[in-house]
Amino acid sequence: MMKGKARGIAEKSIVRLVDQMIGTGTLIATLPGGKTLRLGPGGEPTIALTIHDRRTMMAIILNPDPAFPEAYMDGRVTIEQGDLLDFFHLIAPIERASSYPVSARMNRRLRFAARRLSQWNGLTASLRNVKRHYDLSPAMYRRFLDADMQYSCAYFSRPGMSLEDAQAAKKRHIAAKLMIEPSMSVLDIGCGWGGMALTLANECDACVTGITLSEEQLAVARERGAGRDDVRFELRDYRTLEQTYDRIVSVGMFEHVGIRNYKTFFQKSHDLLARDGVMLLHTIGRSEPPNVTSGFIHKYIFPGGYIPALSEVSAAIERAGLTVTDVEVLTTHYADTLAEWRNRFHATRDEVLEEYDERFFRMWDLYLAASEAAFRYYNMVVFQIQIVHDKTVVPMSRDYIEKRERELAKADSEKSRSDVTSAAE
């Protein structure tokens, strides 16, 4: 008798939870025992999913994030109709912490209060966190990234661009804002597999130092830059650097710094940047007040990571004695980037499964789909922030950016034609 009553309470709880989270479309949920519920206001998208056991259902009721992602990864929740992206679209219009049950809201408040501790990110912790994500095999990343292995938001400056062209446009856009002159010294904080550093050396004639905490990334970057005097790559934490640089660029690394280290990051940037220097910070951000990192993302994808509000970044820059001279917000560029990554990831599913397993594939598929939804339907954007000591080193208008981009694109096109001609000869 009690079991039946408890089952009824659980079913009512999940109906109440899901119904208040769905802002558009239809969710057809099959519960343990076979009961099917039709939830939401109706229309598209339509998602049909099955929850396979009552323990999973209770876990989702108590704390949807990370309980739902974990259940999906383990196959305890399966999607029978529709796609993960459709599911996140379903709940996107009104997804707020206030729609979560009391237990989940309390957990969220505790995580917000303790977020500085969860983002300790000292020298040892940062190295450990980087290994968790970036020391997967380079082959894994090559399956879905562009040829230059750009693992950050592309710049779709016109409709219909390929991922390769959009990533090249992103690098030109950043180079233009850096205003690099030949022989300038450039520091690339979080250089990844070396693509940005090599581009700045090739197209701007700069002398570039790239630093990373990933041994796998370092190996690839050094192989790509072998035999060159104008680019070098080091396994180094930015906090251990001492010399000054004419230019500093950091793309997709700031998300790993953690809010308790913002003061250190920008104070170190202050010390490393020449007095007439320019820095460009490219980072994911949120177009809303400060919040917490998703439980799933924190536990499985980016431990120690945090997506900042603009208010958190700008305040830290100001306190370090630096000046912001330009802020650009890229809205859905990353959604389009992630959509292309996910398509390529799915196209190489068999290769992924040969190297890893089904649970890994589901985990990364969920990460890519949730991230695309975050930029397409939720409040995630990308900030490009230009930072200086002396505001007079930057032109008074932004016209120089587009002009320099055209120059770089033209030079790259001419070089490509020259390379083709040389190869033909």
Side-chain angles (χ1 to χ4, degrees):
M1 179 69 178
M2 286 301 294
K3 286 186 177 180
K5 186 176 181 180
R7 186 183 309 124
I9 292 172
E11 290 178 359
K12 287 179 181 178
S13 296
I14 201 159
V15 168
R16 186 165 57 250
L17 166 66
V18 176
D19 232 3
Q20 66 186 354
M21 289 180 66
I22 297 177
T24 186
T26 306
L27 177 65
I28 304 169
T30 301
L31 305 182
K35 185 173 182 178
T36 298
L37 305 172
R38 193 177 187 90
L39 306 168
E44 297 299 327
T46 297
I47 301 294
L49 60 79
T50 300
I51 302 174
H52 292 281
D53 63 85
R54 290 190 174 84
R55 182 176 293 180
T56 295
M57 185 168 69
M58 290 305 301
I60 293 172
I61 291 169
L62 293 172
N63 196 14
D65 179 17
F68 177 84
E70 288 178 329
Y72 178 80
M73 289 159 52
D74 294 337
R76 291 178 283 114
V77 168
T78 54
I79 293 180
E80 319 297 345
Q81 177 184 339
D83 180 75
L84 272 173
L85 184 65
D86 297 326
F87 172 79
F88 290 115
H89 185 194
L90 199 74
I91 63 174
I94 61 168
E95 200 281 336
R96 295 290 185 271
S98 59
S99 66
Y100 277 33
V102 173
S103 57
R105 293 203 301 271
M106 289 179 63
N107 181 276
R108 196 180 186 93
R109 290 192 191 102
L110 288 172
R111 285 195 289 122
F112 188 87
R115 61 192 186 137
R116 287 180 177 272
L117 291 175
S118 67
Q119 300 164 36
W120 183 265
N121 297 350
L123 295 175
T124 301
S126 294
L127 188 61
R128 182 175 63 248
N129 291 341
V130 163
K131 286 181 177 297
R132 281 277 301 279
H133 189 86
Y134 294 98
D135 276 355
L136 298 174
S137 74
M140 163 66 188
Y141 288 100
R142 286 193 179 100
R143 292 185 184 108
F144 67 92
L145 298 179
D146 65 303
D148 196 46
M149 297 185 78
Q150 288 294 303
Y151 191 30
S152 59
C153 176
Y155 185 59
F156 292 86
S157 55
R158 63 179 187 280
M161 292 180 74
S162 68
L163 178 63
E164 281 71 18
D165 287 344
Q167 290 290 14
K170 181 267 299 293
K171 289 180 288 181
R172 285 195 297 269
H173 199 52
I174 291 173
K177 292 181 180 183
L178 284 167
M179 302 188 302
I180 299 173
E181 300 294 336
S183 299
M184 277 189 170
S185 60
V186 180
L187 172 64
D188 183 356
I189 303 177
C191 65
W193 294 276
M196 176 62 74
L198 290 165
T199 295
L200 296 181
N202 291 335
E203 298 188 5
C204 303
D205 297 322
C207 297
V208 189
T209 299
I211 61 172
T212 177
L213 292 179
S214 166
E215 294 181 357
E216 292 286 351
Q217 288 185 334
L218 179 69
V220 172
R222 282 183 168 172
E223 181 180 356
R224 296 177 69 185
R228 300 183 59 146
D229 296 325
D230 54 353
V231 182
R232 74 173 188 272
F233 298 102
E234 300 179 10
L235 191 70
R236 193 85 177 262
D237 191 293
Y238 71 92
R239 287 165 285 197
T240 68
L241 296 172
E242 296 298 334
Q243 76 173 81
T244 58
Y245 298 85
D246 298 311
R247 301 291 186 261
I248 298 176
V249 63
S250 184
V251 180
M253 175 271 181
F254 189 72
E255 300 89 329
H256 304 285
V257 169
I259 53 174
R260 64 173 291 116
N261 293 311
Y262 286 2
K263 177 181 178 181
T264 300
F265 180 86
F266 287 113
Q267 188 58 58
K268 195 64 180 180
S269 298
H270 174 282
D271 297 343
L272 295 174
L273 184 64
R275 295 302 301 175
D276 59 350
V278 179
M279 176 177 179
L280 195 287
L281 179 69
H282 172 116
T283 179
I284 298 172
R286 59 178 82 242
S287 56
E288 61 181 4
N291 211 315
V292 296
T293 302
S294 152
F296 162 69
I297 294 295
H298 173 76
K299 186 174 181 180
Y300 293 98
I301 307 299
F302 293 119
Y306 176 68
I307 307 302
L310 186 58
S311 57
E312 294 174 293
V313 184
S314 58
I317 294 171
E318 292 165 5
R319 285 193 291 267
L322 292 164
T323 299
V324 173
T325 45
D326 189 87
V327 178
E328 183 174 6
V329 179
L330 306 183
T331 52
T332 58
H333 292 258
Y334 217 159
D336 292 342
T337 304
L338 284 151
E340 183 61 34
W341 287 351
R342 189 165 179 245
N343 286 338
R344 295 180 181 202
F345 185 69
H346 275 259
T348 57
R349 174 188 171 90
D350 290 345
E351 295 174 32
V352 175
L353 294 179
E354 284 181 12
E355 187 172 10
Y356 297 100
D357 58 19
E358 180 68 32
R359 188 174 189 270
F360 177 91
F361 184 89
R362 285 170 174 258
M363 178 177 72
W364 267 72
D365 187 32
L366 194 144
Y367 151 56
L368 293 171
S371 298
E372 180 183 346
F375 288 93
R376 198 173 298 284
Y377 307 124
Y378 295 42
N379 293 316
M380 292 297 167
V381 294
V382 169
F383 303 137
Q384 284 193 352
I385 307 175
Q386 187 188 61
I387 304 166
V388 300
H389 286 291
D390 178 1
K391 65 183 179 183
T392 65
V393 303
V394 177
M396 291 176 63
S397 76
R398 300 182 84 249
D399 297 349
Y400 73 95
I401 298 174
E402 186 177 352
K403 179 182 177 183
R404 182 59 174 151
E405 284 178 292
R406 289 197 300 267
E407 291 172 353
L408 291 170
K410 181 180 179 182
D412 186 52
S413 178
E414 290 174 351
K415 183 178 183 301
S416 296
R417 285 198 297 269
S418 175
D419 290 344
V420 170
T421 300
S422 299
E425 293 174 351

